[in-house]
Amino acid sequence: MIIKPKIRSNVFTNCHPLGQEQFILNLITEAKKQKPIGSKKNVLIIGGSSGYGLASRIALAFGMNANTINVSFESGPKGKRTGTAGYWNNIFFQKHTKNYPQTDKDFNGDAFSKAMKNDVIDYIKTHFGKLDLIIYSLASGARKDETTGALVRSAIKTIGTPAKGHTIELAKEEVTPLNVEAASSEEIKNTVFVMGGSDWQTWLENLSQNDCLNDGVKTISYTYIGGETTDAIYRNGTIGQAKEDLEKTAGKLNQLLKEKHRGEALISSSKAVVTKASVFIPQMPIYVACLFDVMMEKGIHESILAHKYRLFKDMVYGTKAIKDDDGFLRVDHREMQSDVQHATKTLMAAYTNDKIFTLKGTKAMLDDFYHMNGFGFSNIDYDQPVDMDALQQLKLN
Ligand code: NAD
């Protein structure tokens, strides 16, 4: 099968498996160049097949030879379907860690479900050993409510008044106007149910009750704070409400972990990067393009891997943690510098039209967008057919 990019509303509906292998190899090469993070740990990553969860997994697997369990929800290839990028990321992560002194296990299915939690707990008890770190890095548009059987959907909307702005139609490389509607109270509640902290809390409570946590265990989840230009849609919108709930959950978990395991629960406010979830958020592509440009110009741009690597090396397991008044780890401090925010806002005002495609920040954002779906690698001939039958022999452990 010859595979060319298929994109709808900034979402890839396919991926290139050979490019996905290159993507993973590049992340591994980048991780191997970094200094060691600390002693080996047992890590569970919920949402480790792409974006920040995958970057965390690779940073820890190569920074400290961490044993990792990943829970993600991905589709394998079927007929003319290539399978999702995250599916192949998991396959190639395992393939390229085979010769390293660590255990890698992947569970593919719904992390919100009781059944998945039980399967992971069984595996920890029978094969893996107690956990030292749990990373909660889910980004999902829907969650099944197991008490009612209903599928609850999140909504990315404002609260109170609608917002007007612009976004980038990435496939067409076109700037388009944007109207984001105000959410109903039901939509706000549903978004908090899907993207808030209740599932993170259930995971930790279940793991604790089943004696799966080591003394000194840590758990971390990723929030986004951002600034003036993203506030209306992000922090003051439905997703911001969900993040506030997630952040409050860290407080409850901290209590539980401290008392029972001498552990802690952490929130890291992470920088805006290009992921499957972020490019889908209205206005984010324009913000990220301009932010990248400003940070590149100032010499402080970081890749997704470097960002997570620094979080673990300097902050979670290091002595250079930057904490705010709420106790959040502010690994986003460079993005939040007032000169960076000011320059990004100025650039956004001047470049909210096709001129934006002249920026090197936009080029970097588009490169990340294509690379994370296996496209745009110069060593891959995209006119050649991909032998999907042979690739399907690769199975997950
Ligand atoms: P992503 O879309 O790249 O990754 C989401 C992960 O969740 C994938 O591994 C996916 O398989 C998994 N997932 C989704 N639904 C699932 C389910 N039901 N069961 C099991 N796995 C499921 O997203 P991302 O951008 O890396 O986001 C991860 C976290 O980081 C989110 O909390 C997000 O808000 C936060 N964050 C992201 C950014 C950013 O710029 N991307 C910035 C700050 C914080």
Side-chain angles (χ1 to χ4, degrees), residues 47 49-52 73-74 109-111 137-139 223 243 271 273 275:
S49 62
S50 66
Y52 269 146
F73 208 174
E74 303 292 345
D110 186 4
S137 188
L138 277 199
T223 196
K243 288 299 182 194
K271 125 184 225 293
V273 290
T275 66

Side-chain angles (χ1 to χ4, degrees), residues 174-245:
E174 220 174 75
V175 174
T176 50
L178 179 85
N179 286 315
V180 182
E181 311 231 310
S184 65
S185 51
E186 186 73 6
E187 286 172 319
I188 300 171
K189 191 175 93 203
N190 289 349
T191 308
V192 172
F193 179 71
V194 178
M195 284 295 289
S198 60
D199 185 57
W200 183 25
Q201 183 169 348
T202 308
W203 268 102
L204 266 295
E205 284 170 354
N206 283 212
L207 290 163
S208 173
Q209 280 153 15
N210 285 281
D211 198 22
C212 290
L213 303 178
N214 257 329
D215 201 39
V217 66
K218 292 178 193 282
T219 186
I220 189 163
S221 191
Y222 304 142
T223 196
Y224 182 69
I225 293 179
E228 222 183 291
T229 50
T230 52
D231 272 353
I233 289 163
Y234 200 97
R235 201 64 207 183
N236 298 335
T238 48
I239 187 80
Q241 290 279 301
K243 288 299 182 194
E244 271 182 32
D245 184 72

Side-chain angles (χ1 to χ4, degrees), residues 117-377:
K117 292 180 177 80
N118 289 343
D119 287 352
V120 173
I121 285 168
D122 276 355
Y123 178 78
I124 291 168
K125 292 185 90 141
T126 53
H127 292 96
F128 196 74
K130 292 186 189 184
L131 301 173
D132 303 297
L133 173 67
I134 299 95
I135 299 169
Y136 191 82
S137 188
L138 277 199
S140 179
R143 169 180 176 187
K144 187 174 171 188
D145 181 345
E146 291 195 323
T147 55
T148 62
L151 187 68
V152 179
R153 292 192 185 279
S154 60
I156 302 174
K157 293 195 173 178
T158 62
I159 294 178
T161 35
K164 280 187 193 307
H166 289 85
T167 195
I168 301 178
E169 186 80 49
L170 296 172
K172 294 189 195 148
E173 298 194 9
E174 220 174 75
V175 174
T176 50
L178 179 85
N179 286 315
V180 182
E181 311 231 310
S184 65
S185 51
E186 186 73 6
E187 286 172 319
I188 300 171
K189 191 175 93 203
N190 289 349
T191 308
V192 172
F193 179 71
V194 178
M195 284 295 289
S198 60
D199 185 57
W200 183 25
Q201 183 169 348
T202 308
W203 268 102
L204 266 295
E205 284 170 354
N206 283 212
L207 290 163
S208 173
Q209 280 153 15
N210 285 281
D211 198 22
C212 290
L213 303 178
N214 257 329
D215 201 39
V217 66
K218 292 178 193 282
T219 186
I220 189 163
S221 191
Y222 304 142
T223 196
Y224 182 69
I225 293 179
E228 222 183 291
T229 50
T230 52
D231 272 353
I233 289 163
Y234 200 97
R235 201 64 207 183
N236 298 335
T238 48
I239 187 80
Q241 290 279 301
K243 288 299 182 194
E244 271 182 32
D245 184 72
L246 182 89
E247 292 154 12
K248 280 194 198 125
T249 304
K252 295 182 209 161
L253 291 176
N254 218 4
Q255 195 77 16
L256 167 86
L257 296 184
K258 244 188 208 142
E259 279 167 15
K260 283 192 71 183
H261 309 279
R262 291 198 294 159
E264 63 175 342
L266 299 164
I267 289 283
S268 144
S269 182
S270 296
K271 125 184 225 293
V273 290
V274 181
T275 66
K276 193 170 64 181
S278 70
V279 291
F280 187 68
I281 300 174
Q283 187 131 340
M284 269 298 175
I286 287 205
Y287 173 71
V288 169
C290 294
L291 176 74
F292 277 18
D293 202 75
V294 168
M295 292 184 83
M296 285 164 93
E297 197 59 45
K298 291 180 183 288
I300 52 173
H301 178 69
E302 254 177 343
S303 69
I304 185 164
L305 191 281
H307 192 66
K308 285 295 126 165
Y309 194 89
R310 192 163 60 83
L311 170 70
F312 290 107
K313 168 106 177 48
D314 289 357
M315 301 201 182
V316 177
Y317 294 114
T319 52
K320 295 186 201 151
I322 300 170
K323 284 195 177 179
D324 64 16
D325 292 346
D326 294 312
F328 302 165
L329 294 174
R330 298 304 300 263
V331 71
D332 62 345
H333 62 104
R334 293 175 181 150
E335 170 181 354
M336 297 317 296
Q337 283 172 207
S338 56
D339 59 330
V340 171
Q341 283 298 307
H342 182 261
T344 305
K345 192 178 165 194
T346 309
L347 205 54
M348 282 174 77
Y351 279 69
T352 309
N353 52 46
D354 289 341
K355 233 167 59 178
I356 199 162
F357 296 102
T358 61
L359 296 178
K360 57 183 180 315
T362 311
K363 161 108 182 49
M365 177 196 65
L366 287 168
D367 282 351
D368 284 354
F369 179 61
Y370 282 92
H371 287 165
M372 74 187 184
N373 292 286
F375 294 99
F377 291 107

